[in-house]
Every structure is written in C-alpha cells, then in structure tokens.
Amino acid sequence: QVQLVESGGGLVQAGGSLRLSCAASGRFFSINVMGWYRQPPGKQRDLVATITSGGSTNYADSVKGRFTISRDIAKNTVYLQMNSLKPEDTAVYYCKVIVLKDRRSVEVWGQGTQVTVSS
C-alpha cells in the first residue's frame, strides 16, 4: 500500500508564504509524477502544479510566478513553496502521486491540508 503524508498548511495573511510537503511511503517501484491540487469551498478540485520524474514542471496560470514545486527523490517527497499568497488561494490542498507498482501505474491521493489566506 502507498501512503502520502501531507504537512505545512495553515493560516497566513495575504502576501505571506507557506510551504507544503508530501512524503510518499510504502511499496512501489518508482514515482513518476507528483503534484498538488486544490479545492476551494464549494468548488471543484483543480490542478496547481505537477513535477515529473525528469524534473519537468507544469503550473496553473493562477499560480505561475508565485508558487514553486520541487521534489526530493531520495526522500520521495514533493514540496510546494507558495509565496505572495492571496485570499483566493484559500483551499484544501491535496497531494497526488502516480507510482509504478506491480508493473502498473497507480494514482494515490493525500488526505488534504487546509490553507487559509486572510485579507
């Protein structure tokens, strides 16, 4: 079983910064893609950023230039550095990884961490 443990959410004032972490553990061969998604209250869950095993990154337009995704391969951990936070960034942030396990790609979601940005 693959497990994800997220941390780093909280309450911050507009203009502030937060860093989210997501560590993967369990039995798998490799991690292909790691990413962050978010779900504001009453809205759908959307992509924030992803990073591939090769280091290629992809960002939602709304966070480009403010958020940075990175990963520590040795620790099976992905990070999301969030700067210049805005009230509209308020959401539950979810980590998602795609791992290679038993010769199959498996998608795993974290439990979510709340990020609240006050104006």
Side-chain angles (χ1 to χ4, degrees), residues 1-71:
Q1 187 146 353
V2 182
Q3 296 170 330
L4 301 180
V5 177
E6 301 167 355
S7 61
L11 173 64
V12 65
Q13 288 188 329
S17 298
L18 282 175
R19 188 192 194 207
L20 305 183
S21 299
C22 172
S25 62
R27 190 178 71 85
F28 51 87
F29 180 75
S30 64
I31 298 177
N32 293 335
V33 182
M34 306 184 85
W36 291 94
Y37 294 73
R38 67 185 181 186
Q39 187 166 18
K43 296 185 179 180
Q44 66 181 23
R45 189 178 301 185
D46 289 323
L47 168 75
V48 176
T50 60
I51 184 166
T52 69
S53 57
S56 296
T57 58
N58 181 48
Y59 294 92
D61 288 342
S62 59
V63 306
K64 284 180 180 177
R66 300 188 298 123
F67 291 10
T68 302
I69 190 170
S70 61
R71 64 188 287 178

Side-chain angles (χ1 to χ4, degrees), residues 50-114:
T50 60
I51 184 166
T52 69
S53 57
S56 296
T57 58
N58 181 48
Y59 294 92
D61 288 342
S62 59
V63 306
K64 284 180 180 177
R66 300 188 298 123
F67 291 10
T68 302
I69 190 170
S70 61
R71 64 188 287 178
D72 185 328
I73 295 175
K75 295 182 179 179
N76 291 327
T77 299
V78 63
Y79 305 97
L80 185 68
Q81 178 66 43
M82 304 185 293
N83 298 328
S84 302
L85 282 161
K86 304 175 181 180
E88 50 263 44
D89 295 318
T90 295
V92 178
Y93 283 69
Y94 296 90
C95 174
K96 187 184 87 170
V97 300
I98 300 175
V99 303
L100 185 62
K101 177 180 169 67
D102 298 327
R103 300 183 181 183
R104 294 169 53 236
S105 289
V106 178
E107 184 177 283
V108 184
W109 287 89
Q111 78 283 2
T113 185
Q114 178 69 47

